[in-house]
Amino acid sequence: MPEIIPIPAFADNYIWLLRNGDVAAIVDPGDAAPVIAYLESSGITPCAILATHHHGDHVGGIPALLARWQVPVFGPAREKIPGRTQALSGGDSIEVPGIDATFEVIDVPGHTSGHIALFGEFAGGPVLFCGDTLFTGGCGRLFEGTPDQMWASLSALAALPPETRVYCGHEYTLANLRFARAVEPDNADLRAREAREQAKRARGEPTVPSTIGVERATNPFLRAHLPDVRLAVAAHAGQDMATDVESFAALREWKNKF
Ligand SMILES: [Zn+2]
């Protein structure tokens, strides 16, 4: 039975293993050591590496993995990815060898300018690997892209089927939801979610994945166009929000200083 396994790395990163039998594809291996340790102890052989964007905490482990296993490296065409063999752009469809999985590539510029997300069916339903674009309860910082780009990227991800499981690159959920509560103190779905996620962390479990449906109901960065969120952002910024993008940009600024 295929499964998706989190490998914690650094302080709060997740490297994802897409396992099918004794073979696995590795998503965003920022560090090789925990991946090698897991593969060795479980007898799993890697078949491919998938990278969402060029930041070191997502690709830093690739050279050491390639030194041991010669596998294809799928990564964004517009970014520098170590050892990349397959350059991906939005609209591409890829077959990952060994694990019987097909993914659609979605361009999601904003956190970095060439960031991609991968969407497909695996382990019993639709799944999304979105790196540092959409976070559970939040979104990535705009290091290279513009608010327009990030809003369009997040809107594209929000339009995926609500049951889609969201696998992002970091365990940031509780901090994100604290901010979300400041934006939407009356959102009952958000309060219920925060209690659920706190319980998971108390048990030592990841809060990732969530689903697109949960994110649409509770993640303020997918809700910047809604009247209540727009009003809260305007009140915080002390000026009216004329457009959805303006509301999103001011919300991101608010979070940066929260
Ligand atoms: Zn990043």
Side-chain angles (χ1 to χ4, degrees), residues 18-210:
L18 284 63
R19 175 186 184 175
N20 193 347
D22 55 5
V23 175
I26 308 161
V27 179
D28 283 355
D31 189 5
V35 178
I36 291 171
Y38 186 88
L39 293 173
E40 283 185 339
S41 69
S42 57
I44 295 172
T45 307
C47 59
I49 294 169
L50 312 174
T52 61
H53 68 294
H54 69 85
H55 284 160
D57 65 323
H58 293 251
V59 301
I62 293 177
L65 291 170
L66 290 180
R68 233 173 133 123
W69 294 286
Q70 314 284 296
V71 296
V73 178
F74 297 79
R78 289 182 291 147
E79 298 195 348
K80 197 168 178 303
I81 305 295
R84 189 188 60 211
T85 57
Q86 322 282 331
L88 307 181
S89 301
D92 289 350
S93 180
I94 59 165
E95 267 184 50
V96 182
I99 58 166
D100 190 25
T102 304
F103 289 98
E104 285 170 37
V105 180
I106 306 171
D107 277 328
V108 288
H111 176 69
T112 62
S113 58
H115 201 305
I116 58 168
L118 299 167
F119 171 71
E121 294 266 335
F122 193 76
V127 294
L128 173 71
F129 295 91
C130 49
D132 291 352
T133 298
L134 173 62
F135 283 132
T136 44
C139 77
R141 285 176 186 262
L142 304 185
F143 286 123
E144 298 174 11
T146 65
D148 293 80
Q149 287 179 319
M150 191 62 150
W151 177 246
S153 297
L154 292 172
S155 299
L157 300 183
L160 295 172
E163 68 274 21
T164 304
R165 282 169 285 152
V166 175
Y167 292 87
C168 58
H170 292 268
E171 177 63 62
Y172 287 161
T173 313
L174 293 187
N176 284 338
L177 295 182
R178 272 194 296 279
F179 174 70
R181 189 154 38 81
V183 178
E184 287 193 279
D186 300 326
N187 182 333
D189 290 333
L190 172 58
R191 283 206 301 276
R193 180 184 184 183
E194 197 174 21
R196 278 198 313 274
E197 309 293 25
Q198 282 168 342
K200 283 184 206 163
R201 294 309 288 153
R203 294 193 298 265
E205 297 170 9
T207 62
V208 187
S210 70

